[in-house]
Amino acid sequence: DDPIGSHMNSELNEAIKNGELILFLGAGASRECTDRSGSKLLDGGALAKSLAELAHYEYDGEPLDEVYAAVRTKLASRLNAFLESLFRDAQPSQEYRDLATFAWRRIYTLNIDDALEAAIRRSCVQKLHVRVLGDSVADRDNFFDRLDLVKLNGSVDQLNSGIIFSSSE
């Protein structure tokens, strides 16, 4: 019995119900989502390996940011098509569907796939506005009718705006 912990949990639950929280989703949040063919979305390591193979480079466990930088010029226009084939029209996980049933003040994500957007649009709890690199974020919506989803690393449906796969970018 932890009275402080239970009090904090009840306050957190209340804040979620009232739409007072900002959610931040890291790179692994889309792990249980699936692509168009029903396969789980690739994580950073698997994406690095796939990109190296597509560019016909030997892959030896290099991190995604290094592989992406190496293949970007060589693959040119094929790169966006490849990323779209992997991350566009993704199916949300149960966790994403659950998260989408709450009103959020704002959501930030490092993921470029569109699974969370699909979950939010299906839930109809809030009107979704996707923001990417360089977009301004709207002021707080006091009625929680609008949700800004800020995709910090870019978005598969706006690849021409850029994608970030490294902390230096």
Side-chain angles (χ1 to χ4, degrees):
D1 293 316
D2 179 8
I4 294 174
S6 62
H7 178 70
M8 187 171 65
N9 285 339
S10 65
E11 285 184 5
L12 186 59
N13 284 335
E14 201 58 34
I16 290 172
K17 288 177 187 173
N18 294 331
E20 298 171 355
L21 295 182
I22 294 173
L23 181 63
F24 180 87
L25 298 171
S30 294
R31 183 178 320 238
E32 296 300 317
C33 300
T34 57
D35 63 18
R36 296 177 200 168
S37 66
S39 300
K40 286 190 179 180
L41 293 183
L42 301 181
D43 64 10
L47 178 57
K49 182 178 181 188
S50 293
L51 287 170
E53 289 171 356
L54 184 65
H56 303 290
Y57 288 147
E58 189 174 318
Y59 180 70
D60 192 28
E62 296 84 2
L64 176 58
D65 62 329
E66 290 178 18
V67 174
Y68 185 74
V71 304
R72 191 172 33 205
T73 303
K74 182 174 184 180
L75 294 177
S77 63
R78 293 187 319 165
L79 181 57
N80 283 357
F82 181 68
L83 292 173
E84 285 182 352
S85 73
L86 295 174
F87 299 111
R88 193 166 196 149
D89 300 322
Q91 296 303 307
S93 63
Q94 184 60 50
E95 292 84 2
Y96 272 6
R97 290 191 296 270
D98 291 344
L99 288 172
T101 63
F102 298 101
W104 297 96
R105 178 162 296 166
R106 186 171 295 136
I107 298 176
Y108 292 92
T109 183
L110 298 177
N111 298 285
I112 68 166
D113 63 81
D114 60 3
L116 183 58
E117 291 100 297
I120 293 168
R121 287 187 177 110
R122 288 178 195 160
S123 75
C124 299
V125 172
Q126 292 174 287
K127 294 176 188 152
L128 180 64
H129 294 264
V130 178
R131 312 287 184 190
V132 294
L133 313 168
D135 289 347
S136 60
V137 177
D139 289 335
R140 176 179 169 184
D141 177 0
N142 290 327
F143 300 105
F144 301 103
D145 184 48
R146 182 193 69 242
L147 170 63
D148 281 331
L149 171 61
V150 182
K151 300 188 82 173
L152 298 170
N153 288 350
S155 183
V156 70
D157 62 345
Q158 298 182 44
L159 291 172
N160 290 334
S161 296
I163 295 292
I164 295 175
F165 285 128
S166 74
S167 56
S168 65
E169 291 176 297

mmCIF file of all heavy atoms in Angstrom, residues 94-117:
data_model
loop_
_atom_site.group_PDB
_atom_site.id
_atom_site.type_symbol
_atom_site.label_atom_id
_atom_site.label_comp_id
_atom_site.label_asym_id
_atom_site.label_seq_id
_atom_site.Cartn_x
_atom_site.Cartn_y
_atom_site.Cartn_z
ATOM 1 N N GLN A 94 -2.857 -2.163 -30.708
ATOM 2 C CA GLN A 94 -3.894 -1.979 -29.699
ATOM 3 C C GLN A 94 -3.523 -0.830 -28.760
ATOM 4 O O GLN A 94 -4.379 -0.051 -28.348
ATOM 5 C CB GLN A 94 -4.121 -3.266 -28.902
ATOM 6 C CG GLN A 94 -5.256 -3.161 -27.896
ATOM 7 C CD GLN A 94 -6.591 -2.844 -28.556
ATOM 8 O OE1 GLN A 94 -6.984 -3.507 -29.517
ATOM 9 N NE2 GLN A 94 -7.276 -1.819 -28.073
ATOM 10 N N GLU A 95 -2.238 -0.702 -28.444
ATOM 11 C CA GLU A 95 -1.790 0.390 -27.569
ATOM 12 C C GLU A 95 -2.091 1.744 -28.202
ATOM 13 O O GLU A 95 -2.547 2.660 -27.504
ATOM 14 C CB GLU A 95 -0.283 0.273 -27.282
ATOM 15 C CG GLU A 95 0.098 -0.916 -26.440
ATOM 16 C CD GLU A 95 0.271 -2.229 -27.226
ATOM 17 O OE1 GLU A 95 0.135 -2.225 -28.466
ATOM 18 O OE2 GLU A 95 0.551 -3.249 -26.577
ATOM 19 N N TYR A 96 -1.860 1.886 -29.496
ATOM 20 C CA TYR A 96 -2.181 3.144 -30.176
ATOM 21 C C TYR A 96 -3.687 3.378 -30.176
ATOM 22 O O TYR A 96 -4.149 4.498 -29.974
ATOM 23 C CB TYR A 96 -1.654 3.124 -31.609
ATOM 24 C CG TYR A 96 -0.235 3.608 -31.783
ATOM 25 C CD1 TYR A 96 0.583 3.919 -30.711
ATOM 26 C CD2 TYR A 96 0.291 3.772 -33.051
ATOM 27 C CE1 TYR A 96 1.879 4.367 -30.886
ATOM 28 C CE2 TYR A 96 1.590 4.220 -33.244
ATOM 29 C CZ TYR A 96 2.373 4.521 -32.160
ATOM 30 O OH TYR A 96 3.659 4.974 -32.349
ATOM 31 N N ARG A 97 -4.450 2.332 -30.413
ATOM 32 C CA ARG A 97 -5.913 2.496 -30.404
ATOM 33 C C ARG A 97 -6.397 2.917 -29.021
ATOM 34 O O ARG A 97 -7.294 3.754 -28.900
ATOM 35 C CB ARG A 97 -6.592 1.212 -30.878
ATOM 36 C CG ARG A 97 -6.368 0.949 -32.373
ATOM 37 C CD ARG A 97 -7.247 -0.170 -32.914
ATOM 38 N NE ARG A 97 -6.978 -1.458 -32.322
ATOM 39 C CZ ARG A 97 -6.094 -2.345 -32.775
ATOM 40 N NH1 ARG A 97 -5.372 -2.064 -33.844
ATOM 41 N NH2 ARG A 97 -5.929 -3.501 -32.189
ATOM 42 N N ASP A 98 -5.784 2.370 -27.978
ATOM 43 C CA ASP A 98 -6.142 2.760 -26.615
ATOM 44 C C ASP A 98 -5.766 4.217 -26.347
ATOM 45 O O ASP A 98 -6.561 4.976 -25.781
ATOM 46 C CB ASP A 98 -5.461 1.854 -25.581
ATOM 47 C CG ASP A 98 -6.009 0.434 -25.588
ATOM 48 O OD1 ASP A 98 -7.095 0.193 -26.155
ATOM 49 O OD2 ASP A 98 -5.315 -0.448 -25.031
ATOM 50 N N LEU A 99 -4.560 4.620 -26.726
ATOM 51 C CA LEU A 99 -4.121 6.000 -26.526
ATOM 52 C C LEU A 99 -5.031 6.993 -27.252
ATOM 53 O O LEU A 99 -5.264 8.105 -26.765
ATOM 54 C CB LEU A 99 -2.683 6.190 -27.007
ATOM 55 C CG LEU A 99 -1.581 5.577 -26.162
ATOM 56 C CD1 LEU A 99 -0.237 5.686 -26.876
ATOM 57 C CD2 LEU A 99 -1.518 6.231 -24.792
ATOM 58 N N ALA A 100 -5.542 6.594 -28.403
ATOM 59 C CA ALA A 100 -6.369 7.482 -29.217
ATOM 60 C C ALA A 100 -7.750 7.728 -28.617
ATOM 61 O O ALA A 100 -8.466 8.622 -29.066
ATOM 62 C CB ALA A 100 -6.507 6.910 -30.633
ATOM 63 N N THR A 101 -8.134 6.981 -27.601
ATOM 64 C CA THR A 101 -9.447 7.184 -26.984
ATOM 65 C C THR A 101 -9.442 8.320 -25.973
ATOM 66 O O THR A 101 -10.497 8.714 -25.489
ATOM 67 C CB THR A 101 -9.943 5.896 -26.284
ATOM 68 O OG1 THR A 101 -9.054 5.567 -25.213
ATOM 69 C CG2 THR A 101 -10.050 4.747 -27.270
ATOM 70 N N PHE A 102 -8.254 8.861 -25.666
ATOM 71 C CA PHE A 102 -8.143 9.970 -24.724
ATOM 72 C C PHE A 102 -7.926 11.276 -25.462
ATOM 73 O O PHE A 102 -7.379 11.296 -26.564
ATOM 74 C CB PHE A 102 -6.963 9.744 -23.763
ATOM 75 C CG PHE A 102 -7.099 8.522 -22.919
ATOM 76 C CD1 PHE A 102 -6.414 7.367 -23.236
ATOM 77 C CD2 PHE A 102 -7.926 8.522 -21.801
ATOM 78 C CE1 PHE A 102 -6.537 6.228 -22.460
ATOM 79 C CE2 PHE A 102 -8.051 7.393 -21.016
ATOM 80 C CZ PHE A 102 -7.361 6.237 -21.345
ATOM 81 N N ALA A 103 -8.325 12.376 -24.831
ATOM 82 C CA ALA A 103 -8.029 13.706 -25.363
ATOM 83 C C ALA A 103 -6.668 14.118 -24.811
ATOM 84 O O ALA A 103 -6.427 14.031 -23.611
ATOM 85 C CB ALA A 103 -9.100 14.696 -24.932
ATOM 86 N N TRP A 104 -5.787 14.530 -25.701
ATOM 87 C CA TRP A 104 -4.446 14.951 -25.317
ATOM 88 C C TRP A 104 -4.280 16.423 -25.638
ATOM 89 O O TRP A 104 -4.843 16.920 -26.615
ATOM 90 C CB TRP A 104 -3.388 14.145 -26.077
ATOM 91 C CG TRP A 104 -3.438 12.690 -25.770
ATOM 92 C CD1 TRP A 104 -4.082 11.723 -26.492
ATOM 93 C CD2 TRP A 104 -2.865 12.020 -24.647
ATOM 94 N NE1 TRP A 104 -3.929 10.503 -25.886
ATOM 95 C CE2 TRP A 104 -3.186 10.660 -24.747
ATOM 96 C CE3 TRP A 104 -2.095 12.451 -23.563
ATOM 97 C CZ2 TRP A 104 -2.770 9.723 -23.816
ATOM 98 C CZ3 TRP A 104 -1.684 11.508 -22.628
ATOM 99 C CH2 TRP A 104 -2.012 10.160 -22.760
ATOM 100 N N ARG A 105 -3.488 17.105 -24.843
ATOM 101 C CA ARG A 105 -3.190 18.511 -25.139
ATOM 102 C C ARG A 105 -2.344 18.580 -26.408
ATOM 103 O O ARG A 105 -2.565 19.410 -27.280
ATOM 104 C CB ARG A 105 -2.452 19.144 -23.971
ATOM 105 C CG ARG A 105 -2.088 20.590 -24.274
ATOM 106 C CD ARG A 105 -1.757 21.354 -23.062
ATOM 107 N NE ARG A 105 -2.950 21.413 -22.226
ATOM 108 C CZ ARG A 105 -2.948 21.789 -20.969
ATOM 109 N NH1 ARG A 105 -1.830 22.138 -20.405
ATOM 110 N NH2 ARG A 105 -4.056 21.820 -20.270
ATOM 111 N N ARG A 106 -1.366 17.685 -26.511
ATOM 112 C CA ARG A 106 -0.495 17.599 -27.680
ATOM 113 C C ARG A 106 0.230 16.268 -27.609
ATOM 114 O O ARG A 106 0.436 15.731 -26.530
ATOM 115 C CB ARG A 106 0.519 18.746 -27.668
ATOM 116 C CG ARG A 106 1.372 18.836 -28.918
ATOM 117 C CD ARG A 106 2.212 20.112 -28.956
ATOM 118 N NE ARG A 106 1.351 21.274 -29.042
ATOM 119 C CZ ARG A 106 1.516 22.391 -28.335
ATOM 120 N NH1 ARG A 106 2.519 22.501 -27.496
ATOM 121 N NH2 ARG A 106 0.694 23.397 -28.470
ATOM 122 N N ILE A 107 0.641 15.740 -28.764
ATOM 123 C CA ILE A 107 1.450 14.525 -28.813
ATOM 124 C C ILE A 107 2.690 14.822 -29.638
ATOM 125 O O ILE A 107 2.603 15.389 -30.732
ATOM 126 C CB ILE A 107 0.684 13.335 -29.438
ATOM 127 C CG1 ILE A 107 -0.548 12.978 -28.611
ATOM 128 C CG2 ILE A 107 1.609 12.115 -29.561
ATOM 129 C CD1 ILE A 107 -1.408 11.871 -29.214
ATOM 130 N N TYR A 108 3.844 14.419 -29.103
ATOM 131 C CA TYR A 108 5.104 14.476 -29.827
ATOM 132 C C TYR A 108 5.540 13.040 -30.081
ATOM 133 O O TYR A 108 5.413 12.192 -29.210
ATOM 134 C CB TYR A 108 6.193 15.173 -28.997
ATOM 135 C CG TYR A 108 5.951 16.643 -28.783
ATOM 136 C CD1 TYR A 108 5.262 17.098 -27.667
ATOM 137 C CD2 TYR A 108 6.414 17.581 -29.702
ATOM 138 C CE1 TYR A 108 5.042 18.446 -27.463
ATOM 139 C CE2 TYR A 108 6.209 18.933 -29.503
ATOM 140 C CZ TYR A 108 5.514 19.356 -28.378
ATOM 141 O OH TYR A 108 5.300 20.692 -28.182
ATOM 142 N N THR A 109 6.050 12.774 -31.273
ATOM 143 C CA THR A 109 6.550 11.439 -31.582
ATOM 144 C C THR A 109 7.819 11.515 -32.419
ATOM 145 O O THR A 109 8.002 12.451 -33.196
ATOM 146 C CB THR A 109 5.484 10.586 -32.303
ATOM 147 O OG1 THR A 109 6.005 9.266 -32.525
ATOM 148 C CG2 THR A 109 5.076 11.186 -33.633
ATOM 149 N N LEU A 110 8.667 10.506 -32.231
ATOM 150 C CA LEU A 110 9.882 10.377 -33.041
ATOM 151 C C LEU A 110 9.650 9.454 -34.234
ATOM 152 O O LEU A 110 10.542 9.279 -35.059
ATOM 153 C CB LEU A 110 11.029 9.826 -32.185
ATOM 154 C CG LEU A 110 11.453 10.704 -31.008
ATOM 155 C CD1 LEU A 110 12.542 10.009 -30.192
ATOM 156 C CD2 LEU A 110 11.916 12.071 -31.477
ATOM 157 N N ASN A 111 8.475 8.860 -34.338
ATOM 158 C CA ASN A 111 8.185 7.876 -35.373
ATOM 159 C C ASN A 111 7.689 8.548 -36.648
ATOM 160 O O ASN A 111 6.914 9.507 -36.585
ATOM 161 C CB ASN A 111 7.139 6.886 -34.854
ATOM 162 C CG ASN A 111 7.674 6.130 -33.663
ATOM 163 O OD1 ASN A 111 8.498 5.245 -33.806
ATOM 164 N ND2 ASN A 111 7.239 6.503 -32.465
ATOM 165 N N ILE A 112 8.100 8.017 -37.797
ATOM 166 C CA ILE A 112 7.694 8.604 -39.078
ATOM 167 C C ILE A 112 6.481 7.904 -39.687
ATOM 168 O O ILE A 112 5.886 8.412 -40.628
ATOM 169 C CB ILE A 112 8.856 8.620 -40.095
ATOM 170 C CG1 ILE A 112 9.233 7.207 -40.543
ATOM 171 C CG2 ILE A 112 10.047 9.378 -39.551
ATOM 172 C CD1 ILE A 112 10.128 7.168 -41.771
ATOM 173 N N ASP A 113 6.096 6.739 -39.167
ATOM 174 C CA ASP A 113 4.958 6.007 -39.728
ATOM 175 C C ASP A 113 3.659 6.755 -39.441
ATOM 176 O O ASP A 113 3.623 7.705 -38.668
ATOM 177 C CB ASP A 113 4.901 4.585 -39.157
ATOM 178 C CG ASP A 113 4.684 4.596 -37.659
ATOM 179 O OD1 ASP A 113 3.525 4.756 -37.231
ATOM 180 O OD2 ASP A 113 5.673 4.464 -36.913
ATOM 181 N N ASP A 114 2.565 6.301 -40.060
ATOM 182 C CA ASP A 114 1.277 6.978 -39.892
ATOM 183 C C ASP A 114 0.263 6.161 -39.094
ATOM 184 O O ASP A 114 -0.934 6.431 -39.150
ATOM 185 C CB ASP A 114 0.704 7.376 -41.252
ATOM 186 C CG ASP A 114 0.474 6.196 -42.189
ATOM 187 O OD1 ASP A 114 0.701 5.033 -41.796
ATOM 188 O OD2 ASP A 114 0.066 6.449 -43.341
ATOM 189 N N ALA A 115 0.726 5.197 -38.321
ATOM 190 C CA ALA A 115 -0.192 4.355 -37.551
ATOM 191 C C ALA A 115 -0.935 5.127 -36.467
ATOM 192 O O ALA A 115 -2.124 4.909 -36.254
ATOM 193 C CB ALA A 115 0.568 3.174 -36.935
ATOM 194 N N LEU A 116 -0.247 6.022 -35.792
ATOM 195 C CA LEU A 116 -0.910 6.793 -34.737
ATOM 196 C C LEU A 116 -1.990 7.695 -35.331
ATOM 197 O O LEU A 116 -3.077 7.813 -34.771
ATOM 198 C CB LEU A 116 0.104 7.611 -33.936
ATOM 199 C CG LEU A 116 -0.464 8.400 -32.757
ATOM 200 C CD1 LEU A 116 -1.180 7.483 -31.759
ATOM 201 C CD2 LEU A 116 0.645 9.182 -32.060
ATOM 202 N N GLU A 117 -1.700 8.298 -36.467
ATOM 203 C CA GLU A 117 -2.708 9.125 -37.123
ATOM 204 C C GLU A 117 -3.951 8.306 -37.449
ATOM 205 O O GLU A 117 -5.082 8.755 -37.249
ATOM 206 C CB GLU A 117 -2.164 9.741 -38.419
ATOM 207 C CG GLU A 117 -1.102 10.785 -38.194
ATOM 208 C CD GLU A 117 0.294 10.247 -38.402
ATOM 209 O OE1 GLU A 117 0.711 9.333 -37.637
ATOM 210 O OE2 GLU A 117 0.993 10.733 -39.302
#
